[in-house]
Amino acid sequence: MSHSPCIEVVEETGSTNADLLERLNAGEIIPDGYWLRAERQTGGRGRLGRKWESPKGNLFCSTVVNLREGDPSPSTLSLVTGLAVFDAIRPCLMNDTPMLLKWPNDVMVFGDKIAGILLERAAHSVIVGIGINVSYAPELPDRKTISIAYANGKFANGPDSVLDGLAQKFAQRLSDWREKPLSETLLEWTVRSHRFDDRLRITGSDGEQIHAWYRGIDEHGALRIQPLGARETTVHAGDVTLKWHDEE
């Protein structure tokens, strides 16, 4: 059973993920359903060590999932989080606004990145960090971005309102992850993802790139791909680019 969300808001911090990691490492017990939101972050981080731009007016928040015996693989929490963020953003946009999930945990609107997700393990807990472009779309050197306000023609709910919805959606998705077969979460993610046969470029942590066709995800949430000139394989970590954004 999920608990009612508890949301703490601070005016400014370096990183909400880093704050919760420090508190957990100091022995504090942080219950499921607790959220820490910063109106502004000075040291926000994204995947692969990227800096996450954090202007006031956007949503920067973190929560904790305390792992229980019998939980599915913690790595699949990235899909749970992506679904919750998708669920929270969807009602903030016009009905016909195109959205999709991009493996492992990006949320795209009109093909551009609207949210970032960073999961970090701390002993028997996972810190889930989420950034959503509510009012502004910070410029990134390697990808296009969009905000809820821009997608809606400059109208957007405030970040506090978006978080209220997100906390509820996350609690429901987390409950489904724990209480229903994992295959249901994977299917829910798949029907919102990019399409079978989409061209992808996967960049590993070593910088090596693979060009491939998308083949879905496997029963553990890993990315299934068909590399050019090779057999189908799975990818467990990497940065994915949808090829229609490339200039090549």
Side-chain angles (χ1 to χ4, degrees), residues 8-242:
E8 179 182 354
V9 181
V10 296
E11 185 174 348
E12 180 179 292
T13 191
S15 157
T16 54
N17 260 36
D19 289 351
L20 293 189
L21 179 61
E22 181 179 355
R23 288 164 58 176
L24 287 170
N25 287 339
E28 182 177 343
I29 297 174
I30 300 176
D32 288 5
Y34 169 85
W35 291 80
L36 176 64
R37 177 171 88 85
E39 293 185 0
R40 181 173 176 271
Q41 288 188 141
T42 57
R45 295 168 294 135
R47 291 185 65 246
L48 306 178
R50 294 190 184 98
K51 182 178 180 182
W52 182 262
E53 297 294 336
S54 308
K56 191 170 183 178
N58 286 348
L59 175 60
F60 323 106
C61 59
S62 299
T63 190
V64 171
V65 176
N66 296 297
L67 300 174
R68 305 173 186 173
E69 186 176 351
D71 278 349
S73 169
S75 64
T76 55
L77 281 170
S78 64
L79 306 181
V80 172
T81 308
L83 281 166
V85 173
F86 187 106
D87 292 344
I89 294 175
R90 177 77 271 175
C92 298
L93 301 174
M94 307 299 182
N95 290 336
D96 59 349
T97 304
M99 290 185 68
L100 63 80
L101 291 168
K102 181 168 71 69
W103 191 91
N105 51 22
D106 276 349
V107 183
M108 317 290 285
V109 170
F110 289 115
D112 299 334
K113 184 182 176 83
I114 198 168
I117 295 167
L118 179 64
L119 274 63
E120 297 183 283
R121 186 71 181 264
H124 298 294
S125 300
V126 175
I127 301 167
V128 179
I130 299 168
I132 298 177
N133 297 336
V134 178
S135 302
Y136 308 101
E139 291 188 11
L140 299 178
D142 58 344
R143 64 200 63 206
K144 295 179 180 179
T145 59
I146 195 170
S147 66
I148 294 174
Y150 185 84
N152 280 344
K154 305 305 179 185
F155 167 77
N157 296 325
D160 51 349
S161 175
V162 176
L163 177 53
D164 286 343
L166 173 61
Q168 295 175 27
K169 300 296 186 182
F170 187 85
Q172 184 58 59
R173 290 292 182 183
L174 185 64
S175 175
D176 291 346
W177 177 75
R178 283 182 160 141
E179 298 174 10
K180 298 179 180 180
L182 179 61
S183 58
E184 293 194 20
T185 292
L186 300 180
L187 178 60
E188 290 275 347
W189 188 93
T190 299
V191 299
R192 293 164 177 79
S193 77
H194 30 96
R195 301 279 75 91
F196 187 88
D197 250 359
D198 276 351
R199 287 281 302 278
L200 307 177
R201 183 182 68 215
I202 300 97
T203 306
S205 57
D206 57 359
E208 182 181 356
Q209 294 186 349
I210 301 173
H211 295 260
W213 288 282
Y214 176 59
R215 292 291 185 258
I217 55 176
D218 71 8
E219 67 272 20
H220 307 294
L223 178 67
R224 294 171 49 213
I225 59 170
Q226 176 91 46
L228 304 184
R231 290 185 174 185
E232 182 177 306
T233 186
T234 56
V235 174
H236 296 273
D239 204 38
V240 173
T241 302
L242 295 172

